[in-house]
């Protein structure tokens, strides 16, 4: 029985080696042809950036309508909130953010976020109208309008698209290494009669190393995008405090949202004005700064005005 199993493993291992060696030869020739006709580094950069801009732009321009449909968000009638609209109109007059629609929806938690595209909108959870005062709601809307001023949603969407393009490019460059090292390592392990040993060989370690490089590049670029997102939250807080002249109202609004929210906010978390942070790693991977730090910063700003 052991001899039969060893024979089967040997045949499978030999076949695996043949397949991957043939793939290696074919891949080498294809890469040689591509290398001979390789574009300049400037062209490669242009292709990567162009791909990121194209797909990121399409996602940005089409995302608003899809999101509004999924949330069943509706426009807040002016007749139902005349006082809020008077303040909102003053904000849009003072800020270079256009006139995004005010939408109301039933979100997983009391919160608000801005979505861009040709029909930009600020989506507000219906519970916020009872939870926040008029001053607090005004500062929250000013925060979201600040995101429109700097096109933060567009920049963040393009950033994620660029991340995917860079990871894809690195993956293409390392694909021959990943495939050949993994395939040959498995084939040799099968020939030895020990299929599980492939990962311990130097080929297996090279295979894992190549995959690790791809993952590391993606992680590093993602950290840059998340860091940018957190900086833009600080900037939006500052802009809202400047435009309204009421940093304490925004601090109170954020505090009320914090107390009314639960940790599980689902796939819409990156869009919310409020984010959850519980430990250093989650804070590093968060799209938002710690809420307590934002509130304290706004309070300090109010103290400096006295």
């Amino acid at each position: 029985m052991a001899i039969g199993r060893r024979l089967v493993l040997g045949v499978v291992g030999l076949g695996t080696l043949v397949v991957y060696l043939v793939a290696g030869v074919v891949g080498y020739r294809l890469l040689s042809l591509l290398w001979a006709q390789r574009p300049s580094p400037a062209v490669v950069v242009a292709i990567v950036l162009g791909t990121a801009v194209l797909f990121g732009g399409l996602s940005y321009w089409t995302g608003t309508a899809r999101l509004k449909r999924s949330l069943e968000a509706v426009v807040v009638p002016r007749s139902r909130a005349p006082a809020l609209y008077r303040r909102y109109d003053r904000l849009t007059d003072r800020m270079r953010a256009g006139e995004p629609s005010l939408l109301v929806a039933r979100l997983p938690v009391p919160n608000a976020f801005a979505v861009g595209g040709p029909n930009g909108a600020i989506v507000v959870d219906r519970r916020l109208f009872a939870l926040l005062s008029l001053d607090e709601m005004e500062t929250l809307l000013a925060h979201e309008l600040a995101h429109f001023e700097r096109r933060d949603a567009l920049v963040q969407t393009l950033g994620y698209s660029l991340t995917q393009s860079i990871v894809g490019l690195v993956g293409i460059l390392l694909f021959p290494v990943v495939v050949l090292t993994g395939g040959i390592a498995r084939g040799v392990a099968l020939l030895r009669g020990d299929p599980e040993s492939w990962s311990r060989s130097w080929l297996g370690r090279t295979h894992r190393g190549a995959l690790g490089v791809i993952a590391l590049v993606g992680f590093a670029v993602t950290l840059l995008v998340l860091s940018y997102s957190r900086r833009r939250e600080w900037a939006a807080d500052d802009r809202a405090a400047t435009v309204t002249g009421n940093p304490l109202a925004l601090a109170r609004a954020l505090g009320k949202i914090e107390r009314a929210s639960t940790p599980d906010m689902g796939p819409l978390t990156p869009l919310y004005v409020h984010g959850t942070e519980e430990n250093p790693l989650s804070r590093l991977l968060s799209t938002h700064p710690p809420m307590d730090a934002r509130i304290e910063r706004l309070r300090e700003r109010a103290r400096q005005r006295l």
Side-chain angles (χ1 to χ4, degrees):
M1 187 70 176
I3 296 177
R5 179 177 180 277
R6 184 66 179 271
L7 181 61
V8 170
L9 290 175
V11 172
V12 174
L14 183 61
T16 301
L17 281 176
V18 171
V19 169
Y20 278 98
L21 288 174
V22 171
V25 172
V26 174
Y28 172 77
R29 291 185 176 179
L30 290 175
L31 287 175
S32 297
L33 292 174
L34 291 174
W35 183 256
Q37 302 176 13
R38 65 187 182 280
S40 66
V43 173
V44 173
V45 171
I47 292 174
V48 173
L49 292 178
T51 302
V53 170
L54 175 62
F55 287 100
L58 287 175
S59 176
Y60 176 76
W61 290 106
T62 61
T64 300
R66 293 199 308 268
L67 188 57
K68 287 192 291 188
R69 286 196 300 268
S70 67
L71 295 174
E72 298 182 352
V74 296
V75 175
V76 179
R78 283 184 172 269
S79 59
R80 296 290 298 274
L84 179 62
Y85 266 107
R86 282 195 293 271
R87 298 199 181 199
Y88 186 65
D89 290 339
R90 287 199 296 267
L91 288 175
T92 56
D93 287 341
R94 297 182 61 185
M95 303 176 73
R96 302 178 303 277
E99 297 183 4
S101 302
L102 274 183
L103 305 182
V104 63
R106 182 72 177 183
L107 303 178
V109 295
N111 226 306
F113 59 84
V115 288
N119 299 305
I122 297 175
V123 182
V124 179
D125 181 75
R126 62 180 68 252
R127 287 165 288 185
L128 290 183
F129 289 92
L131 186 65
L132 303 182
S133 69
L134 192 58
D135 286 345
E136 292 162 356
M137 183 69 82
E138 179 185 16
T139 58
L140 191 63
L141 296 179
H143 173 99
E144 300 304 336
L145 287 171
H147 286 307
F148 279 104
E149 278 191 320
R150 294 295 298 267
R151 303 290 189 271
D152 288 335
L154 174 60
V155 174
Q156 186 167 330
T157 301
L158 293 179
Y160 282 120
S161 181
L162 180 61
T163 299
Q164 295 172 347
S165 298
I166 292 175
V167 172
L169 177 62
V170 174
I172 291 173
L173 294 175
L174 294 180
F175 180 76
V177 177
V178 173
V179 172
L180 285 179
T181 55
I184 294 174
R186 287 183 174 87
V188 171
L190 288 168
L191 282 174
R192 291 176 175 175
D194 186 7
E196 304 301 324
S197 67
W198 76 271
S199 61
R200 298 190 296 271
S201 65
W202 70 270
L203 284 172
R205 292 193 295 271
T206 302
H207 175 81
R208 291 198 306 273
L211 291 177
V213 169
I214 297 173
L216 183 60
V217 169
F219 184 68
V221 180
T222 299
L223 287 182
L224 291 176
V225 176
L226 293 175
S227 176
Y228 171 84
S229 178
R230 292 191 294 271
R231 288 197 303 271
R232 297 318 309 153
E233 290 301 320
W234 293 119
D237 284 349
D238 289 341
R239 179 63 171 150
T242 298
V243 172
T244 63
N246 198 348
L248 282 180
L250 181 56
R252 291 195 303 269
L254 295 179
K256 290 180 179 180
I257 291 174
E258 167 82 358
R259 291 188 293 273
S261 300
T262 57
D264 184 14
M265 295 186 291
L268 298 177
T269 299
L271 298 173
Y272 287 140
V273 68
H274 162 256
T276 57
E277 315 83 12
E278 298 181 357
N279 55 62
L281 180 59
S282 65
R283 293 188 178 198
L284 185 64
L285 298 177
S286 174
T287 58
H288 289 65
M291 185 64 84
D292 55 351
R294 294 173 62 189
I295 293 173
E296 180 55 34
R297 189 165 180 264
L298 288 165
R299 289 173 175 169
E300 178 61 28
R301 177 168 181 150
R303 286 192 290 267
Q304 292 175 357
R305 292 167 59 91
L306 298 178

